mmCIF file of all heavy atoms in Angstrom:
data_model
loop_
_atom_site.group_PDB
_atom_site.id
_atom_site.type_symbol
_atom_site.label_atom_id
_atom_site.label_comp_id
_atom_site.label_asym_id
_atom_site.label_seq_id
_atom_site.Cartn_x
_atom_site.Cartn_y
_atom_site.Cartn_z
ATOM 1 N N HIS A 24 -144.751 211.446 153.216
ATOM 2 C CA HIS A 24 -146.122 212.002 153.354
ATOM 3 C C HIS A 24 -146.687 212.292 151.962
ATOM 4 O O HIS A 24 -147.836 211.940 151.636
ATOM 5 C CB HIS A 24 -146.044 213.282 154.215
ATOM 6 C CG HIS A 24 -147.170 214.257 154.045
ATOM 7 N ND1 HIS A 24 -148.491 213.921 154.424
ATOM 8 C CD2 HIS A 24 -147.205 215.521 153.582
ATOM 9 C CE1 HIS A 24 -149.266 214.988 154.125
ATOM 10 N NE2 HIS A 24 -148.488 215.945 153.645
ATOM 11 N N HIS A 53 -147.184 219.900 146.665
ATOM 12 C CA HIS A 53 -147.787 220.787 147.683
ATOM 13 C C HIS A 53 -146.863 221.140 148.864
ATOM 14 O O HIS A 53 -146.930 222.259 149.367
ATOM 15 C CB HIS A 53 -149.129 220.252 148.166
ATOM 16 C CG HIS A 53 -148.995 219.233 149.256
ATOM 17 N ND1 HIS A 53 -148.560 217.949 149.056
ATOM 18 C CD2 HIS A 53 -149.275 219.291 150.577
ATOM 19 C CE1 HIS A 53 -148.534 217.258 150.176
ATOM 20 N NE2 HIS A 53 -149.006 218.080 151.136
ATOM 21 N N ASP A 54 -146.030 220.220 149.300
ATOM 22 C CA ASP A 54 -145.163 220.495 150.447
ATOM 23 C C ASP A 54 -143.703 220.660 150.102
ATOM 24 O O ASP A 54 -142.836 220.485 150.981
ATOM 25 C CB ASP A 54 -145.330 219.376 151.495
ATOM 26 C CG ASP A 54 -146.448 219.623 152.481
ATOM 27 O OD1 ASP A 54 -146.911 220.784 152.544
ATOM 28 O OD2 ASP A 54 -146.873 218.663 153.199
ATOM 29 N N ARG A 57 -142.152 222.950 152.538
ATOM 30 C CA ARG A 57 -142.589 222.822 153.905
ATOM 31 C C ARG A 57 -141.428 222.722 154.894
ATOM 32 O O ARG A 57 -141.541 223.108 156.054
ATOM 33 C CB ARG A 57 -143.499 221.565 154.012
ATOM 34 C CG ARG A 57 -144.013 221.267 155.391
ATOM 35 C CD ARG A 57 -144.898 222.390 155.945
ATOM 36 N NE ARG A 57 -145.394 222.071 157.255
ATOM 37 C CZ ARG A 57 -144.703 222.115 158.376
ATOM 38 N NH1 ARG A 57 -143.446 222.470 158.304
ATOM 39 N NH2 ARG A 57 -145.258 221.801 159.523
ATOM 40 N N HIS A 87 -145.754 228.196 152.724
ATOM 41 C CA HIS A 87 -145.139 227.115 151.938
ATOM 42 C C HIS A 87 -145.986 226.668 150.765
ATOM 43 O O HIS A 87 -145.444 226.293 149.725
ATOM 44 C CB HIS A 87 -144.713 225.947 152.882
ATOM 45 C CG HIS A 87 -145.840 225.093 153.334
ATOM 46 N ND1 HIS A 87 -146.593 225.369 154.455
ATOM 47 C CD2 HIS A 87 -146.354 223.929 152.862
ATOM 48 C CE1 HIS A 87 -147.474 224.442 154.620
ATOM 49 N NE2 HIS A 87 -147.387 223.538 153.679
ATOM 50 N N HIS A 113 -153.729 224.429 150.370
ATOM 51 C CA HIS A 113 -153.945 223.104 150.920
ATOM 52 C C HIS A 113 -154.012 223.108 152.455
ATOM 53 O O HIS A 113 -154.592 222.229 153.043
ATOM 54 C CB HIS A 113 -152.905 222.110 150.419
ATOM 55 C CG HIS A 113 -151.543 222.270 151.015
ATOM 56 N ND1 HIS A 113 -150.559 222.985 150.429
ATOM 57 C CD2 HIS A 113 -150.995 221.831 152.178
ATOM 58 C CE1 HIS A 113 -149.449 222.951 151.137
ATOM 59 N NE2 HIS A 113 -149.698 222.231 152.234
ATOM 60 N N THR A 114 -153.462 224.120 153.117
ATOM 61 C CA THR A 114 -153.501 224.178 154.584
ATOM 62 C C THR A 114 -154.798 224.808 155.073
ATOM 63 O O THR A 114 -155.401 224.272 156.012
ATOM 64 C CB THR A 114 -152.317 225.026 155.123
ATOM 65 O OG1 THR A 114 -151.094 224.506 154.613
ATOM 66 C CG2 THR A 114 -152.255 224.984 156.645
ATOM 67 N N ASP A 131 -154.459 215.792 152.327
ATOM 68 C CA ASP A 131 -153.429 216.240 153.229
ATOM 69 C C ASP A 131 -153.751 215.887 154.655
ATOM 70 O O ASP A 131 -152.876 215.494 155.474
ATOM 71 C CB ASP A 131 -153.256 217.769 153.052
ATOM 72 C CG ASP A 131 -151.989 218.255 153.708
ATOM 73 O OD1 ASP A 131 -150.971 217.555 153.648
ATOM 74 O OD2 ASP A 131 -151.960 219.382 154.251
HETATM 75 FE FE1 FE2 B 8 -148.388 221.625 153.761
#
Side-chain angles (χ1 to χ4, degrees):
H24 158 66
H53 83 288
D54 270 345
R57 179 63 179 75
H87 76 275
H113 73 265
T114 305
D131 194 35

